[in-house]
Amino acid sequence: MEFSTQDWHELAEHVRAEGLYFLSSVFSHEAFALIETVNPDAWKIASGEVGSAGLIGRMAVTNKPILISTGMSTTADIDEALVQLDQVSASYALLQSTSLYPTPLSRVGLNVLDEWRTRYQCPVGLSDHTGTVWAPLEAMSRGVDLIEVHVILDKRITTPDTPVSLTFTEAAWLAAAREAHEELKKPLDKSNLPEDIAEIQRLFARSLALTHDCPAGTVISNSLLVEKKPGTGIPPDAKDQIVGRRLARSVRVDELLHWDDLE
């Protein structure tokens, strides 16, 4: 199937109407010229084009973000491509990929992500060819900035991409997992309990109470005290502060002690 220029424009319009970004991998200068008329939101350098300096140069001067797949690239190849992009201060992200279709989990190579963050100081991600959700999920756990997967309507369809693709159901599940992961990354300050947690904590904590009904004027002794839930009264660790004091009022056995119950 070959799209006409009009097809590409209609496709881009539909993508944007859905609130998504439009981009496309381009494999030739002719393809670049066509996609440029659509005004893509970003460019994609496919694994086999990392060494195409002329094509990369044309993308770089458009001032649009560039996603670079590295499935056929060595570190030296990546270094060379990024020197070219850095010369014009282009914005880019590196995608680890393995150009095997499908890719065994043992060959995904997520270890390079941390190396790249240090070496290149740029966003990093995974362009996945495993055809499963496991590699993208593991990449999320490592805090990647973006993930690319192939998607197919039905895995019973026979295409070259079928073995490396997710169904739309799997892709939707992965998107939900990504959203959950972003929420899970939010920091928690354990130095103080949030009020909603503190309220629950009070229900599970204990307070001091009496072992039996006592009239006003009773002198509190250790033998009179017992610990009961919830923790809305005098806390157990304040026992030494109330032993020897008198009750200011009568207190029943099932009541928690409060400071205003004491003289």
Side-chain angles (χ1 to χ4, degrees):
M1 179 185 294
E2 183 174 339
F3 287 176
S4 67
T5 301
Q6 182 61 30
D7 291 334
W8 280 110
H9 280 266
E10 290 178 1
L11 179 60
E13 289 173 6
H14 175 72
V15 167
R16 288 164 177 151
E18 294 296 320
L20 304 173
Y21 296 109
F22 175 81
L23 70 156
S24 175
S25 299
V26 293
F27 296 87
S28 67
H29 288 276
E30 293 75 16
F32 174 87
L34 187 157
I35 296 300
E36 191 174 30
T37 68
V38 184
N39 191 28
D41 298 293
W43 296 102
K44 172 74 185 298
I45 298 175
S47 293
E49 303 302 323
V50 173
S52 300
L55 200 55
I56 292 175
R58 294 185 71 177
M59 295 180 190
V61 297
T62 65
N63 294 318
K64 296 181 184 296
I66 300 173
L67 308 182
I68 308 168
S69 277
T70 61
M72 304 179 194
S73 304
T74 65
T75 300
D77 296 330
I78 298 169
D79 287 345
E80 185 175 348
L82 297 191
V83 165
Q84 181 181 6
L85 294 176
D86 287 337
Q87 287 174 343
V88 292
S89 300
S91 175
Y92 54 80
L94 287 175
L95 300 178
Q96 163 57 11
S97 63
T98 303
S99 297
L100 296 174
Y101 308 93
T103 300
L105 291 177
S106 61
R107 300 285 297 277
V108 172
L110 296 180
N111 61 290
V112 303
L113 299 175
D114 290 336
E115 297 171 16
W116 286 352
R117 281 196 184 95
T118 301
R119 183 181 182 90
Y120 301 118
Q121 299 291 305
C122 71
V124 298
L126 172 69
S127 177
D128 185 52
H129 298 133
T130 65
T132 74
V133 298
W134 309 121
L137 285 174
E138 176 63 19
M140 286 181 200
S141 73
R142 294 170 180 252
V144 294
D145 299 291
L146 62 161
I147 291 171
E148 178 189 44
V149 295
H150 294 239
V151 182
I152 194 168
L153 290 170
D154 190 323
K155 287 190 175 182
R156 291 172 295 183
I157 300 172
T158 302
T159 76
D161 275 356
T162 299
V164 307
S165 299
L166 303 181
T167 65
F168 275 88
T169 298
E170 290 171 322
W173 185 81
L174 193 62
R178 172 76 168 180
E179 184 176 341
H181 179 71
E182 291 302 313
E183 291 297 307
L184 289 168
K185 288 197 303 184
K186 293 181 178 179
L188 177 67
D189 180 7
K190 291 290 283 185
S191 59
N192 293 290
L193 287 178
E195 182 53 37
D196 53 351
I197 303 299
E199 182 176 351
I200 296 173
Q201 189 267 353
R202 285 191 288 270
L203 294 176
F204 284 88
R206 296 177 182 271
S207 302
L208 292 172
L210 300 179
T211 57
H212 56 268
D213 296 347
C214 293
T218 300
V219 177
I220 297 175
S221 63
N222 271 309
S223 61
L224 273 179
L225 294 173
V226 66
E227 297 178 10
K228 290 186 176 183
K229 294 181 179 181
T232 54
I234 298 174
D237 60 8
K239 181 185 292 187
D240 291 344
Q241 300 177 45
I242 68 172
V243 169
R245 295 178 64 174
R246 295 179 181 274
L247 291 176
R249 67 175 184 87
S250 297
V251 177
R252 295 178 59 82
V253 65
D254 57 353
E255 290 185 78
L256 301 180
L257 286 172
H258 295 83
W259 291 108
D260 56 7
D261 295 331
L262 307 174
E263 292 182 353

